[in-house]
Amino acid sequence: MNFCDVDFTAAYDQATLDQFDPVIINVYFWELRQDNGGFDANDPNASDYPQGFEKEALDVIAALNMKLNEYRLFFKYKGVSEIHDDSLYVENSFTDFNGLLTANQTNDNAINFYVSPSINGGVASIMENNILISRGSFRWNSSISIHEVGHCLGLLHTFQYYTGHLYGEDCEAITRLDTDVEFNADEAGDRVVDTNAIPNFRREHYWELYFEAIDDGLTHEQAVIYAEGYTPYQYLNENCEYTKIKSKNCHDDLYIFNEDDIANIMSYSRTTCTSEITLGQAIRMHEALEIDCRGKLQNTIAPPEDGFMTLYEPYKGEYFYAGPFIPEQHTPLFQPGFTYEFIQCSGTYPEPADYNETFSYTSQIVKTVAATETDYSTIFHPNHSAIKIAEIDILGNSQPQMCYNNWNRAPVGGKITQFNDGVFNTNVTITTQDSLQINDPNLIQNLENGLYKIDKNYEDGAIDEVVILKDN
C-alpha cells in the first residue's frame, strides 16, 4: 500500500517542524439519527447527549487544539448538523458509508466527523477528510478523535504491519540507526522514525493464537475462529505497563520501546494510556497537508493569506451594535481549547476592528479564560476589549486583535459628581443616578452652571467617564 511515501521526508527534528507555517484546519460535525429524528430504542447509546451535541463537538475541538497547537496545527470549529437518514444510521462498512453520503451531507472544506450510535470505536482513511466514530468514543475518549484526525492527516498506526508473517517486506525493523543495513523505519511500519516498532497491544494475543493455530496445521479460516477467543490487552495492564517478557517483532528481534511508545495516540494502547505525539508524526501531518495526494486535504485549510483571522471570529452569537441588548443573541462565543486574554482597548469600534488593524490598548486584562475551561458560556468577547490568544502569541503574533469598543448600549445607572469650587478638588457633591435619570436626554441641559464629572455604568462592568464644564 502506498501513501505517497516517496514524497515524505521522514524527518523528526524541531528545525524541520519550525519551517512549516502554522495551519488552521476546519472541522465540521454531523450527528446521525434515524429518519424520524430519533434513535433506536434498543441501542445502548440511544439517548440524547446530556449537554447537547454541540457541547460534545466543542470538547473535541478543545482536545485537538490542546494536543496539537504546539506542533503548529490549529483547528477551527465550523458547526454541527443532524442527518436524519436510516441508511446511514445503521452499521455500514466505511466504504459503503462514504458511498451513501449525499452532497448536502458532507463538507468538502472541512474534516467531517460523523457520529453514529451503531458502531464501535472510530475509522478514517489515510489522507482523506471523513471520520466515522461511535457516540461513546466521541463523547468520552478524546484520544480516539485525535487518533482518527491523525489518520486524516497521513498518520498510520505505530504498529503498522507488525505481523510481518503476513506483510513481509513492510515489516519494520527494530533498529533506529540509519547506518544499519536493516534500518527501514523511514519506509516500513508507520514510516515515522521517532516512533519505535511496537506490537498491536490490543490484539497481540489474537495474533499469538492465530499463528499458534497455523503452526498446528489449521487453515486460515480455522485459525481466525480459534483466535477470536483472545484477551484484549493481554500484556498491557491498566497502569499502562507492558508485562510480556522477550516480546519479539516480525524479524524475530526483541522489541525495544518505552512509555512514550505505549502512550502514543496512534498506537492501540488502552485509551486511558494514550496522550503522546512525536515530532516525526507532526512533520508527517504537515507534509500530508502539502502533498495531499488524494486531493481531500487542501480545501480543509483556512486560506493562508487570512493568517489567524478565523480563530478570532466567534462561532456563535453576534456583536451588539445598537438597539435593545439581547444577551442570548448578543454574546459572541469563542471556541474552547485556547488561552484567551481580553485586553482593554480604545477607539471607535462599535463593531470589532478588522483583523490586523492597529488600535490603542493598555496592559489591563479585562478577562482571562484558560484553555481547559469547560463552561463554554464563559468564553465570550467582553465589550471594550481586544483579544489575545496565548497559543498564537508563542508564534510571535503578540498583537491583540479585534478591538470591540461599543458605547451604543444604554447605561444601567451612574453618578454625577459636582465640583463645588469649580475646580478639581475634594469639595464635591455626588448624586447617584438610576437608569432613567442617567439616560435622560436633558441630563446636561438641566444641570446648573459648574464643573461636573458624569460616570455612566454599564451592565458589562464598563464605566464611561465624561467631564463637563457647564456655562450658559
Side-chain angles (χ1 to χ4, degrees):
M1 189 177 294
N2 188 304
F3 301 106
C4 327
D5 287 342
V6 67
D7 297 316
F8 287 92
T9 66
Y12 55 100
D13 61 294
Q14 186 67 49
T16 298
L17 178 64
D18 291 343
Q19 292 174 8
F20 290 98
D21 291 330
V23 292
I24 301 168
I25 302 164
N26 299 321
V27 188
Y28 200 89
F29 299 87
W30 306 83
E31 182 184 21
L32 300 184
R33 293 174 175 252
Q34 294 176 315
D35 282 348
N36 61 10
F39 301 103
D40 184 349
N42 296 318
D43 193 310
N45 291 313
S47 62
D48 285 326
Y49 287 77
Q51 301 181 61
F53 182 65
E54 183 172 68
K55 170 62 166 63
E56 306 296 334
L58 289 167
D59 287 346
V60 169
I61 283 290
L64 284 166
N65 279 301
M66 286 190 287
K67 177 52 58 181
L68 296 175
N69 283 174
E70 66 175 296
Y71 301 110
R72 310 171 80 85
L73 296 165
F74 295 80
F75 296 85
K76 174 64 176 179
Y77 171 78
K78 299 300 287 187
V80 297
S81 292
E82 293 181 7
I83 297 178
H84 299 180
D85 190 328
D86 283 350
S87 66
L88 293 173
Y89 182 87
V90 300
E91 185 170 4
N92 291 292
S93 71
F94 193 44
T95 300
D96 290 343
F97 177 86
N98 283 322
L100 290 168
L101 290 172
T102 62
N104 64 348
Q105 294 171 337
T106 191
N107 185 339
D108 291 335
N109 298 315
I111 289 178
N112 296 280
F113 272 87
Y114 296 94
V115 184
S116 170
S118 62
I119 69 165
N120 293 312
V123 59
S125 294
I126 308 299
M127 297 184 70
E128 296 195 2
N129 65 322
N130 285 352
I131 294 168
L132 182 61
I133 190 169
S134 71
R135 291 188 63 161
S137 297
F138 182 73
R139 183 188 299 176
W140 305 120
N141 296 311
S142 61
S143 63
I144 296 178
S145 293
I146 300 172
H147 177 110
E148 300 307 335
V149 169
H151 283 319
C152 292
L153 302 184
L155 297 186
L156 284 69
H157 294 131
T158 49
F159 60 83
Q160 196 79 26
Y161 309 125
Y162 91 98
T163 51
H165 306 69
L166 300 182
Y167 297 103
E169 63 183 6
D170 229 343
C171 177
E172 184 177 4
I174 299 298
T175 182
R176 286 302 182 266
L177 295 174
D178 58 10
T179 56
D180 192 316
V181 294
E182 290 189 355
F183 175 81
N184 65 355
D186 56 344
E187 59 185 19
D190 67 347
R191 283 81 165 150
V192 177
V193 178
D194 64 352
T195 60
N196 285 310
I198 62 171
N200 178 337
F201 299 119
R202 187 169 71 195
R203 290 177 60 85
E204 186 174 10
H205 187 224
Y206 171 93
W207 289 109
E208 282 185 331
L209 295 177
Y210 174 87
F211 289 120
E212 176 184 302
I214 293 295
D215 291 342
D216 287 343
L218 273 65
T219 66
H220 166 72
E221 291 77 12
Q222 292 170 326
V224 167
I225 295 172
Y226 178 73
E228 287 302 328
Y230 79 103
T231 302
Y233 305 111
Q234 172 79 358
Y235 304 110
L236 186 66
N237 64 31
E238 293 183 356
N239 294 323
C240 309
E241 298 166 335
Y242 188 70
T243 60
K244 188 177 181 181
I245 300 174
K246 295 185 177 180
S247 179
K248 295 184 178 182
N249 79 332
C250 41
H251 288 166
D252 206 32
D253 294 325
L254 288 173
Y255 279 116
I256 302 173
F257 57 83
N258 55 40
E259 293 177 354
D260 287 344
D261 295 301
I262 294 173
N264 195 282
I265 280 177
M266 300 311 296
S267 73
Y268 267 11
S269 291
R270 296 176 183 271
T271 55
T272 53
C273 300
T274 52
S275 60
E276 299 298 322
I277 290 286
T278 70
L279 281 172
Q281 288 174 312
I283 291 168
R284 185 176 175 89
M285 286 190 276
H286 277 283
E287 291 179 343
L289 288 165
E290 290 187 351
I291 295 165
D292 194 18
C293 63
R294 294 184 173 176
K296 298 289 187 178
L297 299 181
Q298 278 293 314
N299 288 343
T300 70
I301 302 173
E305 60 270 20
D306 290 346
F308 290 100
M309 180 174 66
T310 186
L311 298 183
Y312 292 91
E313 296 173 344
Y315 69 86
K316 179 186 284 188
E318 299 175 359
Y319 284 93
F320 173 83
Y321 177 70
F325 178 76
I326 306 171
E328 59 270 25
Q329 177 181 330
H330 293 137
T331 302
L333 296 175
F334 287 76
Q335 68 179 46
F338 296 137
T339 305
Y340 294 97
E341 285 187 347
F342 296 95
I343 309 295
Q344 186 181 67
C345 66
S346 59
T348 307
Y349 300 108
E351 295 179 307
D354 291 337
Y355 180 73
N356 275 341
E357 183 170 339
T358 301
F359 48 80
S360 297
Y361 59 93
T362 72
S363 59
Q364 181 176 343
I365 300 173
V366 176
K367 177 182 180 179
T368 60
V369 178
T372 54
E373 177 60 63
T374 57
D375 182 355
Y376 300 159
S377 68
T378 67
I379 311 176
F380 61 85
H381 188 177
N383 199 354
H384 318 299
S385 73
I387 307 168
K388 290 189 73 174
I389 300 176
E391 290 76 10
I392 295 174
D393 287 358
I394 292 172
L395 298 173
N397 295 266
S398 59
Q399 169 72 35
Q401 297 287 347
M402 316 287 280
C403 177
Y404 176 48
N405 195 35
N406 185 311
W407 296 100
N408 292 339
R409 195 184 311 174
V412 295
K415 64 183 181 180
I416 298 174
T417 302
Q418 182 178 7
F419 296 91
N420 297 322
D421 297 330
V423 296
F424 295 110
N425 60 21
T426 58
N427 182 17
V428 298
T429 300
I430 299 175
T431 306
T432 302
Q433 305 282 293
D434 62 22
S435 61
L436 290 177
Q437 292 169 320
I438 201 69
N439 287 295
D440 185 346
N442 297 314
L443 176 68
I444 296 177
Q445 181 180 334
N446 292 336
L447 294 175
E448 297 179 358
N449 289 350
L451 179 64
Y452 298 87
K453 180 166 70 74
I454 301 175
D455 293 324
K456 296 181 179 181
N457 300 331
Y458 294 81
E459 62 184 342
D460 59 5
I463 299 175
D464 187 19
E465 182 181 283
V466 179
V467 174
I468 300 292
L469 178 60
K470 178 75 181 297
D471 184 354
N472 289 334

Short mmCIF file of all heavy atoms in Angstrom, two decimals, residues 6 24 79 122 147 156 210 252 279 288-289 312-313 343 350 358 365 388 410 458 462:
data_model
loop_
_atom_site.label_atom_id
_atom_site.label_comp_id
_atom_site.label_asym_id
_atom_site.label_seq_id
_atom_site.Cartn_x
_atom_site.Cartn_y
_atom_site.Cartn_z
N VAL A 6 7.12 8.29 -1.25
CA VAL A 6 8.32 8.89 -1.84
C VAL A 6 8.35 10.40 -1.60
O VAL A 6 9.41 11.02 -1.64
CB VAL A 6 8.37 8.58 -3.36
CG1 VAL A 6 7.26 9.29 -4.10
CG2 VAL A 6 9.74 8.95 -3.93
N ILE A 24 -4.49 26.23 9.86
CA ILE A 24 -5.77 26.16 10.56
C ILE A 24 -6.67 25.25 9.75
O ILE A 24 -6.95 25.50 8.57
CB ILE A 24 -6.39 27.55 10.71
CG1 ILE A 24 -5.45 28.47 11.48
CG2 ILE A 24 -7.75 27.45 11.42
CD1 ILE A 24 -5.85 29.92 11.43
N GLY A 79 -19.15 24.15 12.94
CA GLY A 79 -20.57 23.95 13.15
C GLY A 79 -20.98 22.50 13.25
O GLY A 79 -20.17 21.58 13.11
N GLY A 122 -13.76 4.07 16.10
CA GLY A 122 -13.74 5.06 15.03
C GLY A 122 -12.97 4.52 13.84
O GLY A 122 -12.21 3.57 13.94
N HIS A 147 -6.80 10.46 17.35
CA HIS A 147 -6.27 9.32 16.59
C HIS A 147 -6.82 9.34 15.16
O HIS A 147 -6.07 9.20 14.18
CB HIS A 147 -6.65 8.03 17.32
CG HIS A 147 -6.25 6.76 16.63
ND1 HIS A 147 -5.25 5.93 17.11
CD2 HIS A 147 -6.74 6.14 15.52
CE1 HIS A 147 -5.12 4.88 16.31
NE2 HIS A 147 -6.03 4.98 15.34
N LEU A 156 -0.19 6.66 10.12
CA LEU A 156 -0.55 5.26 10.21
C LEU A 156 -0.44 4.82 11.67
O LEU A 156 0.09 5.55 12.51
CB LEU A 156 0.36 4.40 9.33
CG LEU A 156 0.11 4.43 7.82
CD1 LEU A 156 0.48 5.77 7.21
CD2 LEU A 156 0.92 3.31 7.12
N TYR A 210 -3.58 -16.95 16.66
CA TYR A 210 -3.71 -17.20 15.22
C TYR A 210 -2.50 -17.97 14.69
O TYR A 210 -2.66 -19.02 14.03
CB TYR A 210 -3.86 -15.88 14.46
CG TYR A 210 -3.86 -16.03 12.96
CD1 TYR A 210 -5.04 -16.29 12.27
CD2 TYR A 210 -2.67 -15.94 12.23
CE1 TYR A 210 -5.03 -16.45 10.89
CE2 TYR A 210 -2.65 -16.09 10.85
CZ TYR A 210 -3.84 -16.35 10.19
OH TYR A 210 -3.84 -16.52 8.82
N ASP A 252 11.87 -11.40 14.31
CA ASP A 252 12.32 -12.24 15.43
C ASP A 252 13.36 -11.52 16.29
O ASP A 252 14.20 -12.15 16.93
CB ASP A 252 12.89 -13.58 14.94
CG ASP A 252 12.76 -14.67 16.00
OD1 ASP A 252 11.79 -14.62 16.79
OD2 ASP A 252 13.63 -15.55 16.06
N LEU A 279 7.55 14.43 17.22
CA LEU A 279 7.92 15.42 16.20
C LEU A 279 7.81 14.83 14.80
O LEU A 279 7.34 15.49 13.86
CB LEU A 279 9.35 15.90 16.44
CG LEU A 279 9.56 16.95 17.54
CD1 LEU A 279 11.05 17.17 17.77
CD2 LEU A 279 8.89 18.25 17.15
N ALA A 288 1.71 15.82 4.83
CA ALA A 288 0.50 15.26 4.22
C ALA A 288 -0.42 16.35 3.71
O ALA A 288 -1.03 16.23 2.63
CB ALA A 288 -0.24 14.38 5.24
N LEU A 289 -0.53 17.44 4.47
CA LEU A 289 -1.37 18.56 4.03
C LEU A 289 -0.82 19.20 2.76
O LEU A 289 -1.58 19.62 1.88
CB LEU A 289 -1.45 19.61 5.15
CG LEU A 289 -2.31 19.23 6.36
CD1 LEU A 289 -2.02 20.15 7.53
CD2 LEU A 289 -3.79 19.27 6.00
N TYR A 312 -10.13 34.29 15.52
CA TYR A 312 -10.62 35.44 16.27
C TYR A 312 -12.09 35.73 15.96
O TYR A 312 -12.61 36.78 16.36
CB TYR A 312 -9.77 36.68 15.97
CG TYR A 312 -8.36 36.58 16.49
CD1 TYR A 312 -7.35 36.05 15.69
CD2 TYR A 312 -8.04 37.01 17.77
CE1 TYR A 312 -6.05 35.96 16.15
CE2 TYR A 312 -6.74 36.92 18.24
CZ TYR A 312 -5.75 36.40 17.43
OH TYR A 312 -4.46 36.30 17.90
N GLU A 313 -12.73 34.82 15.26
CA GLU A 313 -14.14 35.01 14.92
C GLU A 313 -15.00 34.09 15.78
O GLU A 313 -14.67 32.91 15.98
CB GLU A 313 -14.36 34.68 13.44
CG GLU A 313 -13.63 35.62 12.50
CD GLU A 313 -13.71 35.19 11.05
OE1 GLU A 313 -14.09 34.01 10.80
OE2 GLU A 313 -13.40 36.00 10.17
N ILE A 343 -7.93 42.22 26.49
CA ILE A 343 -7.15 43.38 26.91
C ILE A 343 -7.95 44.66 26.67
O ILE A 343 -8.55 44.83 25.61
CB ILE A 343 -5.83 43.45 26.10
CG1 ILE A 343 -5.09 42.11 26.15
CG2 ILE A 343 -4.96 44.58 26.61
CD1 ILE A 343 -4.62 41.71 27.51
N PRO A 350 -17.67 50.33 17.37
CA PRO A 350 -18.96 49.75 17.78
C PRO A 350 -19.14 48.33 17.26
O PRO A 350 -19.92 47.56 17.79
CB PRO A 350 -19.99 50.71 17.18
CG PRO A 350 -19.26 51.39 16.07
CD PRO A 350 -17.84 51.49 16.49
N THR A 358 -4.55 48.30 13.49
CA THR A 358 -3.84 48.86 14.64
C THR A 358 -4.77 49.74 15.45
O THR A 358 -5.53 50.54 14.90
CB THR A 358 -2.63 49.68 14.17
OG1 THR A 358 -1.76 48.83 13.41
CG2 THR A 358 -1.87 50.24 15.35
N ILE A 365 -5.83 43.67 31.88
CA ILE A 365 -6.54 42.48 31.43
C ILE A 365 -7.97 42.53 31.96
O ILE A 365 -8.19 42.55 33.17
CB ILE A 365 -5.83 41.20 31.91
CG1 ILE A 365 -4.41 41.15 31.35
CG2 ILE A 365 -6.62 39.96 31.49
CD1 ILE A 365 -3.59 40.00 31.90
N LYS A 388 -6.36 38.46 22.85
CA LYS A 388 -5.04 37.84 22.70
C LYS A 388 -5.21 36.34 22.93
O LYS A 388 -5.89 35.92 23.86
CB LYS A 388 -4.04 38.40 23.70
CG LYS A 388 -3.63 39.84 23.45
CD LYS A 388 -2.48 40.26 24.35
CE LYS A 388 -1.18 39.61 23.91
NZ LYS A 388 -0.01 40.10 24.69
N ALA A 410 -27.33 51.44 26.26
CA ALA A 410 -27.74 52.38 27.29
C ALA A 410 -27.15 51.98 28.64
O ALA A 410 -27.13 50.81 29.00
CB ALA A 410 -29.26 52.41 27.40
N TYR A 458 -22.28 50.55 32.96
CA TYR A 458 -22.89 49.60 32.03
C TYR A 458 -22.94 48.22 32.65
O TYR A 458 -22.13 47.89 33.53
CB TYR A 458 -22.11 49.59 30.71
CG TYR A 458 -22.21 50.90 29.97
CD1 TYR A 458 -21.41 51.97 30.33
CD2 TYR A 458 -23.13 51.08 28.94
CE1 TYR A 458 -21.50 53.19 29.67
CE2 TYR A 458 -23.22 52.30 28.26
CZ TYR A 458 -22.41 53.34 28.64
OH TYR A 458 -22.53 54.55 27.99
N ALA A 462 -18.34 48.10 32.48
CA ALA A 462 -17.62 49.25 31.96
C ALA A 462 -18.17 50.54 32.56
O ALA A 462 -19.35 50.63 32.93
CB ALA A 462 -17.72 49.28 30.45
#
